[in-house]
Amino acid sequence: MSGSTDRPPVRVVLAKLGLDGHDRGLKVVARMLRDGGMEVVYLGLRQTTDTIIDAVEQEDADVVGISMLNAGHLTLGPRMVEALADAGLDVPVVIGGIVPDEDLPAMANAGVAGVLGPGATAEEVVACVRAAADARG
Amino acid sequence: MAATRGGERWATARLLSLVERGGPLADEVAERTWALLHGDATVDAISGRRANRAHVVGVTGPPGAGKSTLVAVWTTRLVERGHRPAVLAVDPSSPLTGGAILGDRVRMAEATAAGVFIRSMATRGHAGGLALAVPGMVRVLELAGFDPVVVETVGVGQVEVDVASAADTVLVVVTPGMGDAVQANKAGLLEVADLFAVNKSDRPDAAGVRRDLELMLDLSDLTGHGRRRHDTRTDGWSRPAVVSTVATTGAGVDELADATDAHLAGLAAVGTLVARREDRWRAEVRSHVDHLLLETSRGVVSGLSVGTGAPAAVARELAAGLVGGAEGDR
Amino acid sequence: MDSLSSPASRFRTLSGIPVDAVYGDGPAPGEFPYTRGVHAEMYRTRPWTMRMFAGFGTATDTNARFGELLAAGGTGLSTAFDMPTLMGRDSDHDWALGEVGRAGVAVDTVEDMADLFAGIDLGAVSTSMTINGPAPILLAMYVVVAEEGGVDRERLAGTLQNDILKEYQAQKEYLFPPRPSVRLVTDVIGFTTAEMPRWNPVSISGYHIREAGSTAVQELAFTLANGFAYVEAAVAAGLHVDDFAPRLSFFFNSHSDLFEEVGKFRAARRIWARWMRDRYGATDERSLKLRFHTQTAGVSLTAQQPEVNIARVALQALAGVLGGTQSLHTDSFDEALALPSEDAARIALRTQQVIAHETGVTNVVDPLGGSAYVEWMTDEMERQATEVFDHLEQLGDGSLLEGVYAGIDDGWFVGEIADASYRHEREVNAGERIVVGVNEFTEGDDPSARRLLRIGQETEELQRKRLATVRQGRDAAAVASTLARVAVDAAESTTNLMPALLEAVRARATVGEVVDALEGVFGTYVERAVV
């Protein structure tokens, strides 16, 4: 075939949970990841764990990135991790949003692979997603 | 591979990734897929419409024509009619970074919910790779029991148009405004189309784009370009059908589904399907040959010491050897 | 000492120097094209309205807050709705899980609207409702609550945001495709023009466009283009421009580049006045005067060192006042982290009071007018906005309305905004643009001090019970027949939908049921993914 033995680009499914229409952050992150050489399967606004799982499965994604506006991280983050596990998909979850430091251990315990807060730089975003992909192997 | 045949979606997805990636493992997957689909792989085996051969439909057209939305509505309708469609949606990679944003699923949420299998794919820079990977990925989807298999590309580059054209039925989507029919003509889409959808046909100037299209098809009839459609009612040949659709409301989508089916039936009835699939097989072989030769020649040329003769003469000499070498490898 | 002895002016500086109402030549404030302001005296006769947004939990919770505001001498109520209501879904819809009463008040039926305004004389207050997709339904509920309480609709005063175009461009809270949605907007304009003379049917909003990451020019140009689009749609629906245009108002963002913002506000007034007179043939002076509400830029608030946001908000609020705003909302410093706390909301209001009463900027109308830089910036804003209008006009074959539709359809607005937003992000990332506390001067941040927002589920359960009770107690056949009429009227594009909506909500149809009936005719909308 193409004969290339380089590692293929990391594939990331990117989605927003919740009803609100704020997708500025999600779009910026999508571009950061693209500019970091990754393939972003963009699902956009108002996704559910079900639609995300469909996408992760069919797209053979390496990482799931979900963004949420307020205070959903403690419920929605672990719920996403669980739903993926229930579907038999071993794919790390990275969360973007406002997560207070004191919640970070709880998030890690729940199996969330990474958390990106407001003001994360492009390098941090790409590094966090790449680390999550690498940890999966 | 057994899991893929058993309809496990994750397994299908993994195989698609392997084939997409290229390299020795991809070759192995491609060869085994072929064997599973065709039994003893002979040229004849691809001819007939066997139970596990899918109707391969290429969909292309200018950017913004509403291809994804139309494909979503159309494949959802096919699910309602009892089919199991899969879609391979190809978008360009960034030439600078190799990354890509693949946004087709946003417009295809309804189809996903209906059970359509959707796979987004980036062109990954090297254009040759796309031509090599897509036919193999189509076969993986066939093996998984999907039918039809839809390959959707943006009809701007020659490679994208070629990839979508390697199909049983080629659907070109255009839209009123911004001179789409003319654009499609320039991009060489008119020559490859078996079927046209004038999408967004509720826009005021829809009649205009239809008229432009008919006019250009008249011209290509005169000059002998363009594909002919077999008309089962008259048992004669006519030019590509034009269907008016409004993807956002679903108008015309039943007609589109009928027209695609009719096209396949027409091909099968006159035996053109066999010829088309043979052409596709040859084209795929040629892509592989081109690729192998290119890879080999790169290796050989980079090792040459400069100044040993006129470039053209050196090349002729090398080429004779390379062809032998490539045959030897296989 | 000379200056102190002049008794002619009531307006003096902190040191006692008397000042005139206006300085400089050219068209004065209150004169066409109103670059310098829509009133001759501006804040000298009446300060801007300090309008703060309220809404949370159940209707009863918010009603209590309204009571306090009115007792404290307020006359204007501003309502925020929760996400399910904004998206036209009932509190028991799947989507509503975890969102009921969270970012605003939950309203499912006219009974909730009645609870929201219980004990308040709707003939004596003015009510602003921040809602777009389901705006006509919520307006119908407000009218029914008033009439069931004995207040006629012509006495009702208030503002409905009802600006659907910017939803497709920025905020993404749309329900139906653009064309039927604009028809709903013009139905509201037609209805209020005929029957609710004290009501502002649309608040044309650039705020959300800016929050989505646009530049100041994009905010200005897209918002005014939307305004022109509504004018064209209403005229096409058979209304006369001077009958409805005086009731159109605007809502802008005030960001951190002070002079750019002031130029933007001044240019907005001038462009609107000229276009309304010259292109749309308005002759009533009130049709030409652009009145606007301002809110400081939520997007500029940082999670790092959040107290620094107090300074940002103060400067942005100052820009709004120097730009001649009619009303102002100042953001709370903790909003980048969570919903505002009470303390933070008070500081935000105090910030406005400092500007109004301590800085002296209100003594003179358009105090920056005549500054070479500010006048140039105003011209430049107008010039760049005109380029956008030209582009849209070309897209729409001479029609701004069609151009806006085409720009939405082809993802042009969304793409332009995403490009601007990413450009800004990269500049901050590369250190070309300093954001204090984020990429410079970062010492002193204390992440552990960031307040947590924990929201209970009680509101959700209460609201669902409330909804179930209303569903049980109503006449199901009446609901079904009124919803059928909504669908029939929706299918007839020249019929004003408001009478059918009034009938449906009076029969206790829910927001979600009415939206479903409309969706059956109009369909839904999925945007092209322009990332």
Side-chain angles (χ1 to χ4, degrees):
Chain A
M1 303 292 281
S2 78
S4 152
T5 50
D6 315 33
R7 285 187 57 183
V10 173
R11 286 171 71 85
V12 190
V13 163
L14 214 54
K16 174 137 194 340
L17 288 172
L19 263 187
D20 65 276
H22 298 96
D23 56 2
R24 188 180 59 89
L26 193 69
K27 286 185 171 181
V28 167
V29 166
R31 290 180 179 214
M32 286 173 169
L33 295 175
R34 175 199 62 194
D35 292 352
M38 299 187 182
E39 290 180 1
V40 177
V41 178
Y42 185 82
L43 303 187
L45 293 168
R46 302 186 184 109
Q47 299 299 309
T48 63
T49 49
D50 285 350
T51 57
I52 293 171
I53 282 173
D54 275 345
V56 169
E57 185 172 63
Q58 294 171 19
E59 301 289 353
D60 192 21
D62 301 303
V63 180
V64 184
I66 52 179
S67 143
M68 55 192 78
L69 192 62
N70 322 300
H73 57 276
L74 284 176
T75 47
L76 293 173
R79 195 187 295 170
M80 189 71 241
V81 174
E82 252 172 60
L84 284 165
D86 289 348
L89 297 167
D90 172 28
V91 181
V93 175
V94 172
I95 285 182
I98 300 163
V99 176
D101 283 2
E102 60 186 272
D103 285 351
L104 291 179
M107 301 294 277
N109 281 339
V112 171
V115 173
L116 290 163
T121 65
E123 291 73 28
E124 287 162 357
V125 168
V126 171
C128 175
V129 171
R130 195 172 291 286
D134 287 347
R136 181 197 184 209
Chain B
M1 227 168 244
T4 295
R5 270 190 130 173
E8 294 282 1
R9 294 192 164 212
W10 63 266
T12 306
R14 293 312 294 267
L15 282 187
L16 289 173
S17 300
L18 284 176
V19 175
E20 182 181 17
R21 190 169 305 173
L25 200 51
D27 288 346
E28 197 187 320
V29 171
E31 279 157 30
R32 285 220 222 152
T33 312
W34 178 267
L36 284 169
L37 275 175
H38 302 288
D40 311 320
T42 64
V43 177
D44 284 338
I46 64 167
S47 309
R49 185 146 203 241
R50 297 163 52 132
N52 57 358
R53 296 291 334 248
H55 181 195
V56 180
V57 184
V59 180
T60 190
K67 292 178 292 295
S68 306
T69 313
L70 188 61
V71 165
V73 183
W74 165 55
T75 51
T76 305
R77 192 63 50 92
L78 292 179
V79 172
E80 289 161 12
R81 291 184 178 190
H83 297 276
R84 288 189 66 212
V87 179
L88 197 56
V90 185
D91 278 317
S93 297
S94 155
L96 291 176
T97 67
I101 294 175
L102 311 169
D104 291 274
R105 294 191 86 94
V106 173
R107 293 179 297 275
M108 301 184 111
E110 192 188 346
T112 314
V116 178
F117 185 100
I118 297 165
R119 177 59 173 249
S120 315
M121 182 184 177
T123 53
R124 297 200 176 166
H126 49 106
L130 193 67
L132 294 181
V134 169
M137 293 170 79
V138 167
R139 275 195 294 275
V140 168
L141 291 166
E142 285 186 64
L143 183 69
F146 292 107
D147 185 14
V149 175
V150 180
V151 179
E152 182 206 323
T153 69
V154 184
V156 279
Q158 190 53 49
V159 180
E160 280 89 345
V161 173
D162 287 349
V163 164
S165 309
D168 299 325
T169 303
V170 182
L171 168 67
V172 170
V173 184
V174 294
T175 177
M178 306 201 269
D180 252 18
V182 179
Q183 260 193 45
N185 192 20
K186 279 188 190 153
L189 296 177
L190 252 48
E191 280 102 60
V192 300
D194 297 304
L195 194 59
F196 287 95
V198 178
N199 195 28
K200 306 186 187 179
S201 60
D202 55 344
R203 286 195 177 177
D205 43 350
V209 73
R210 240 194 124 108
R211 203 177 43 239
D212 289 353
L213 209 52
E214 301 281 357
L215 188 70
M216 284 180 221
L217 291 171
D218 282 346
L219 286 173
S220 62
D221 265 358
L222 288 176
T223 56
H225 292 297
R227 283 186 176 175
R228 302 297 201 279
R229 174 173 69 102
H230 183 248
D231 189 326
T232 45
R233 280 163 307 175
T234 59
D235 199 27
W237 287 99
S238 66
R239 56 192 195 166
V242 181
V243 182
S244 294
T245 57
V246 185
T248 47
T249 65
V253 171
D254 270 318
E255 288 79 355
L256 177 63
D258 293 344
T260 358
D261 283 352
H263 177 258
L264 184 72
L267 284 182
V270 291
T272 317
L273 185 62
V274 177
R276 265 207 189 188
R277 288 183 171 173
E278 285 176 357
D279 282 351
R280 242 159 71 205
W281 183 84
R282 287 199 188 88
E284 199 183 334
V285 171
R286 199 167 53 241
S287 297
H288 282 274
V289 171
D290 288 352
H291 178 73
L292 287 170
L293 286 177
L294 193 69
E295 292 272 297
T296 319
S297 84
R298 276 209 185 110
V300 174
V301 172
S302 63
L304 284 179
S305 50
V306 181
T308 51
V314 175
R316 251 194 322 275
E317 202 177 304
L318 280 174
L322 281 182
V323 172
E327 277 166 357
D329 277 356
R330 284 273 139 175
Chain C
M1 285 296 105
D2 200 33
S3 54
L4 277 178
S5 63
S6 161
S9 174
R10 294 183 291 116
F11 294 92
R12 295 166 183 272
T13 66
L14 194 57
S15 321
I17 304 170
V19 294
D20 292 340
V22 61
Y23 292 89
D25 317 318
E31 288 175 17
F32 187 88
Y34 313 105
T35 313
R36 303 198 65 184
V38 292
H39 302 300
E41 291 276 316
M42 284 305 287
Y43 308 131
R44 290 161 65 98
T45 49
R46 221 191 84 189
W48 65 89
T49 307
M50 298 178 194
R51 181 177 292 155
M52 308 296 280
F53 207 43
F56 58 95
T58 63
T60 312
D61 299 332
T62 303
N63 177 257
R65 176 87 187 112
F66 282 169
E68 291 162 21
L69 284 169
L70 292 175
T75 54
L77 302 174
S78 184
T79 318
F81 297 96
D82 69 358
M83 277 314 308
T85 308
L86 293 174
M87 290 302 296
R89 309 294 146 170
D90 292 335
S91 296
D92 56 1
H93 190 278
D94 281 352
W95 281 8
L97 191 71
E99 310 244 21
V100 176
R102 183 176 275 182
V105 61
V107 172
D108 293 317
T109 68
V110 76
E111 297 293 341
D112 298 324
M113 192 66 99
D115 289 350
L116 188 55
F117 295 102
I120 295 169
D121 178 3
L122 296 185
V125 296
S126 100
T127 302
S128 150
M129 291 194 264
T130 301
I131 192 144
N132 297 282
I137 305 169
L138 276 290
L139 176 64
M141 287 182 173
Y142 190 74
V143 169
V144 167
V145 166
E147 294 187 345
E148 288 182 354
V151 178
D152 292 339
R153 58 184 73 158
E154 60 263 26
R155 290 177 54 207
L156 297 176
T159 302
L160 201 60
Q161 191 164 84
N162 196 29
D163 170 14
I164 202 66
L165 289 172
K166 61 96 170 54
E167 297 297 337
Y168 302 100
Q169 297 156 346
Q171 191 172 234
K172 316 290 173 73
E173 289 165 12
Y174 38 69
L175 307 181
F176 318 115
R179 285 170 197 267
S181 296
V182 168
R183 177 256 179 121
L184 286 174
V185 173
T186 53
D187 280 358
V188 169
I189 296 175
F191 176 78
T192 59
T193 300
E195 307 196 25
M196 301 176 71
R198 301 177 64 209
W199 197 269
N200 300 316
V202 195
S203 167
I204 305 151
S205 306
Y207 186 80
H208 318 82
I209 293 170
R210 194 66 178 280
E211 288 292 294
S214 84
T215 64
V217 168
Q218 288 167 344
E219 179 196 355
L220 171 69
F222 297 176
T223 309
L224 289 180
N226 291 345
F228 300 140
Y230 292 129
V231 169
E232 290 181 13
V235 168
L239 297 168
H240 186 272
V241 64
D242 280 327
D243 287 343
F244 66 86
R247 282 277 161 200
L248 298 178
S249 64
F250 286 80
F251 173 20
F252 288 113
N253 199 305
S254 193
H255 214 293
S256 296
D257 190 322
L258 192 135
F259 293 106
E260 184 175 67
E261 293 304 298
V262 173
K264 178 185 78 184
F265 298 129
R266 300 173 92 247
R269 276 192 296 269
R270 186 155 79 200
I271 296 167
W272 183 254
R274 287 186 179 153
W275 277 61
M276 289 305 285
R277 188 188 69 179
D278 300 341
R279 184 174 170 126
Y280 299 114
T283 52
D284 186 332
E285 207 183 35
R286 295 171 308 149
S287 300
L288 314 181
K289 289 180 172 176
L290 180 146
R291 299 165 298 129
F292 67 101
H293 172 65
T294 303
Q295 182 171 337
T296 57
V299 72
S300 73
L301 303 181
T302 64
Q304 297 88 340
Q305 304 188 42
E307 302 81 2
V308 178
N309 293 328
I310 297 173
R312 292 192 179 97
V313 168
L315 292 166
Q316 294 166 2
L318 180 64
V321 171
L322 292 173
T325 192
Q326 273 61 56
S327 62
L328 181 61
H329 170 106
T330 32
D331 288 328
S332 300
F333 72 85
D334 54 1
E335 276 181 51
L337 298 170
L339 292 174
S341 65
E342 220 168 287
D343 286 352
R346 192 177 51 246
I347 292 173
L349 179 60
R350 294 285 178 265
T351 303
Q352 293 199 41
Q353 291 160 340
V354 168
I355 295 172
H357 302 293
E358 297 184 12
T359 64
V361 296
T362 54
N363 288 342
V364 174
V365 184
D366 190 32
L368 295 181
S371 143
Y373 178 40
V374 169
E375 294 299 343
W376 175 85
M377 181 61 82
T378 307
D379 293 346
E380 182 63 12
M381 282 278 149
E382 182 174 15
R383 189 188 66 76
Q384 292 196 23
T386 305
E387 288 179 359
V388 173
F389 303 144
D390 288 347
H391 174 71
L392 290 171
E393 219 171 347
Q394 200 188 340
L395 277 182
D397 233 350
S399 152
L400 255 293
L401 176 61
E402 288 300 325
V404 169
Y405 284 144
I408 289 169
D409 233 29
D410 300 334
W412 185 75
F413 291 106
V414 168
E416 291 287 296
I417 294 170
D419 287 348
S421 159
Y422 192 48
R423 201 161 48 235
H424 175 80
E425 211 67 43
R426 285 171 63 137
E427 286 169 6
V428 172
N429 212 18
E432 291 161 20
R433 207 171 266 288
I434 289 174
V435 181
V436 174
V438 172
N439 64 356
E440 272 280 18
F441 317 113
T442 50
E443 63 284 357
D445 188 34
D446 178 9
S448 67
R450 284 173 203 160
R451 208 171 47 82
L452 262 185
L453 182 76
R454 309 275 185 215
I455 291 172
Q457 292 296 306
E458 311 83 53
T459 298
E460 193 153 318
E461 283 155 30
L462 272 175
Q463 185 60 24
R464 284 177 195 223
K465 275 188 197 142
R466 172 87 172 129
L467 176 57
T469 311
V470 176
R471 281 196 212 271
Q472 264 167 15
R474 63 189 188 173
D475 177 350
V479 173
S481 81
T482 58
L483 287 174
R485 183 185 162 194
V486 167
V488 168
D489 282 9
E492 189 51 66
S493 66
T494 53
T495 303
N496 192 311
L497 264 164
M498 283 307 294
L501 296 178
L502 284 161
E503 205 178 275
V505 303
R506 195 174 284 124
R508 273 54 187 167
T510 67
V511 170
E513 288 162 350
V514 177
V515 166
D516 282 346
L518 293 171
E519 213 172 78
V521 179
F522 295 155
T524 54
Y525 180 78
V526 182
E527 75 167 346
R528 280 190 63 198
V530 179
V531 186

Coordinates of all heavy atoms in Angstrom, one line a residue, chain B residues 63-65 69 101 103-104 106-108 178 200 203-204 248-249, chain C residues 179 395 402 405-406 409-410 522-524 526-531:
Chain B
P63 N -17.8 22.3 -3.2 CA -18.0 22.5 -1.8 C -19.3 23.3 -1.5 O -19.7 24.1 -2.3 CB -16.8 23.4 -1.4 CG -15.9 23.3 -2.6 CD -16.6 22.9 -3.8
G64 N -20.0 22.9 -0.5 CA -21.2 23.7 -0.1 C -22.4 23.3 -0.8 O -23.5 23.9 -0.7
A65 N -22.4 22.2 -1.6 CA -23.5 21.8 -2.4 C -24.5 21.0 -1.5 O -25.6 20.7 -1.9 CB -23.1 20.9 -3.6
T69 N -25.4 16.4 3.8 CA -26.8 16.4 4.3 C -27.7 15.5 3.4 O -28.5 14.7 3.8 CB -27.4 17.9 4.2 OG1 -26.4 18.7 4.9 CG2 -28.7 18.0 5.0
I101 N -9.7 18.6 10.1 CA -11.0 18.6 10.8 C -12.0 18.0 9.9 O -12.3 18.4 8.8 CB -11.3 20.1 11.2 CG1 -10.3 20.6 12.1 CG2 -12.7 20.1 11.8 CD1 -10.5 22.1 12.5
G103 N -15.7 17.2 9.5 CA -17.0 17.7 10.1 C -18.3 17.0 9.5 O -19.3 17.5 9.8
D104 N -18.1 16.0 8.7 CA -19.3 15.4 8.1 C -20.4 14.9 9.0 O -21.6 14.9 8.8 CB -18.9 14.3 7.1 CG -18.2 14.9 5.9 OD1 -18.9 15.3 4.9 OD2 -17.0 15.0 5.9
V106 N -21.5 16.0 11.7 CA -22.4 17.0 12.2 C -23.7 17.0 11.4 O -24.8 17.1 12.0 CB -21.7 18.4 12.2 CG1 -22.7 19.5 12.6 CG2 -20.5 18.5 13.1
R107 N -23.5 16.9 10.1 CA -24.7 17.0 9.3 C -25.4 15.6 9.1 O -26.4 15.5 8.4 CB -24.4 17.6 7.9 CG -24.0 19.0 8.0 CD -23.6 19.6 6.7 NE -22.4 18.9 6.1 CZ -21.2 19.2 6.4 NH1 -20.9 20.2 7.2 NH2 -20.2 18.5 5.8
M108 N -24.8 14.6 9.7 CA -25.3 13.2 9.4 C -25.8 12.6 10.7 O -25.9 11.3 10.8 CB -24.2 12.4 8.8 CG -23.6 13.0 7.5 SD -22.4 11.9 6.7 CE -23.3 11.4 5.3
M178 N -24.0 30.7 -7.6 CA -22.6 30.7 -7.7 C -22.1 29.8 -8.8 O -21.0 29.2 -8.8 CB -22.0 30.2 -6.4 CG -22.5 31.1 -5.2 SD -21.4 31.1 -3.8 CE -22.1 29.8 -2.8
K200 N -30.9 21.8 -2.9 CA -31.4 23.1 -2.5 C -32.3 23.7 -3.6 O -32.2 24.9 -4.0 CB -30.2 24.1 -2.2 CG -29.2 23.6 -1.2 CD -28.2 24.6 -0.8 CE -27.1 24.0 0.1 NZ -26.1 24.9 0.4
R203 N -34.5 26.9 -3.8 CA -34.0 28.3 -4.0 C -34.5 28.8 -5.3 O -34.7 28.1 -6.3 CB -32.4 28.3 -4.0 CG -31.8 28.1 -2.7 CD -30.4 28.4 -2.7 NE -29.8 28.3 -1.3 CZ -28.5 28.5 -1.1 NH1 -27.7 28.9 -2.1 NH2 -28.1 28.5 0.1
P204 N -34.6 30.2 -5.4 CA -35.2 30.8 -6.5 C -34.6 30.4 -7.9 O -35.3 30.3 -8.9 CB -35.1 32.3 -6.2 CG -34.4 32.4 -4.9 CD -34.2 31.1 -4.3
T248 N -32.7 19.4 3.2 CA -33.1 19.8 4.5 C -34.6 19.5 4.8 O -35.0 19.4 5.9 CB -32.9 21.4 4.7 OG1 -33.5 22.0 3.5 CG2 -31.5 21.7 4.8
T249 N -35.4 19.3 3.7 CA -36.8 18.9 4.0 C -37.1 17.5 3.5 O -38.1 16.9 3.8 CB -37.8 19.8 3.2 OG1 -37.5 19.6 1.8 CG2 -37.5 21.3 3.5
Chain C
R179 N -35.7 30.7 7.5 CA -36.8 31.4 6.9 C -38.1 31.4 7.7 O -38.6 32.4 8.0 CB -37.1 31.0 5.4 CG -36.0 31.5 4.5 CD -36.1 30.9 3.1 NE -34.9 31.1 2.4 CZ -34.7 32.2 1.5 NH1 -35.7 33.0 1.3 NH2 -33.5 32.3 0.9
L395 N -24.1 38.7 -2.1 CA -24.6 37.3 -1.9 C -26.1 37.3 -2.1 O -26.7 36.3 -2.5 CB -24.3 36.9 -0.4 CG -23.0 36.4 -0.1 CD1 -22.9 35.9 1.4 CD2 -22.6 35.1 -0.9
E402 N -31.7 38.4 2.0 CA -31.3 37.2 1.2 C -29.8 37.0 1.4 O -29.4 35.9 1.5 CB -31.6 37.4 -0.3 CG -33.1 37.3 -0.6 CD -33.7 35.9 -0.2 OE1 -33.0 34.9 -0.3 OE2 -34.9 35.9 0.3
Y405 N -29.4 35.3 4.8 CA -29.7 33.9 4.6 C -28.6 33.1 3.9 O -28.2 32.0 4.4 CB -31.0 33.8 3.8 CG -32.3 34.1 4.4 CD1 -33.3 34.7 3.7 CD2 -32.6 33.8 5.8 CE1 -34.6 35.0 4.3 CE2 -33.8 34.1 6.3 CZ -34.8 34.7 5.6 OH -36.0 35.0 6.2
A406 N -28.1 33.7 2.9 CA -27.1 33.0 2.1 C -25.8 32.8 3.0 O -25.2 31.7 3.0 CB -26.7 33.7 0.8
D409 N -26.5 30.0 5.4 CA -26.5 28.8 4.7 C -25.1 28.2 4.3 O -24.9 27.1 4.4 CB -27.3 29.0 3.4 CG -28.4 28.0 3.3 OD1 -28.9 27.6 4.3 OD2 -28.8 27.7 2.1
D410 N -24.3 29.1 3.9 CA -23.0 28.7 3.4 C -21.9 28.8 4.5 O -20.8 28.6 4.3 CB -22.5 29.7 2.3 CG -23.5 29.6 1.1 OD1 -24.2 28.6 1.0 OD2 -23.6 30.6 0.3
F522 N -42.3 23.3 10.1 CA -41.1 24.0 9.7 C -39.8 23.2 9.5 O -38.9 23.5 8.8 CB -40.7 25.1 10.7 CG -41.8 26.2 10.9 CD1 -41.9 26.9 12.0 CD2 -42.6 26.5 9.8 CE1 -42.8 27.9 12.2 CE2 -43.6 27.6 9.9 CZ -43.7 28.3 11.1
G523 N -39.8 22.0 10.2 CA -38.6 21.2 10.2 C -37.6 21.7 11.2 O -37.8 22.7 11.9
T524 N -36.4 21.1 11.3 CA -35.4 21.5 12.2 C -34.2 22.1 11.4 O -34.2 22.1 10.2 CB -34.9 20.4 13.1 OG1 -34.5 19.3 12.2 CG2 -36.0 19.9 14.0
V526 N -29.8 22.1 11.0 CA -28.5 21.6 11.4 C -27.5 22.5 10.6 O -27.6 22.6 9.4 CB -28.3 20.1 11.0 CG1 -26.9 19.7 11.4 CG2 -29.4 19.2 11.6
E527 N -26.6 23.1 11.3 CA -25.7 24.0 10.7 C -24.6 23.2 9.9 O -24.3 22.0 10.3 CB -25.0 24.9 11.7 CG -23.9 24.3 12.5 CD -23.1 25.3 13.2 OE1 -23.1 26.5 12.9 OE2 -22.3 24.9 14.1
R528 N -24.1 23.8 8.8 CA -22.9 23.2 8.2 C -21.8 23.3 9.2 O -21.6 24.4 9.8 CB -22.5 24.1 7.0 CG -23.3 23.8 5.8 CD -22.7 24.5 4.6 NE -21.3 24.0 4.4 CZ -20.4 24.7 3.6 NH1 -20.7 25.8 3.1 NH2 -19.2 24.1 3.5
A529 N -21.0 22.3 9.3 CA -19.9 22.3 10.3 C -18.8 23.2 9.8 O -18.1 22.8 8.9 CB -19.4 21.0 10.6
V530 N -18.7 24.4 10.2 CA -17.6 25.3 9.8 C -16.8 25.4 11.1 O -17.2 26.1 12.0 CB -18.0 26.6 9.3 CG1 -16.8 27.5 8.9 CG2 -18.9 26.4 8.1
V531 N -15.6 24.8 11.1 CA -14.9 24.8 12.4 C -13.7 25.7 12.4 O -13.0 25.8 11.4 CB -14.4 23.3 12.7 CG1 -13.8 23.3 14.0 CG2 -15.5 22.4 12.6

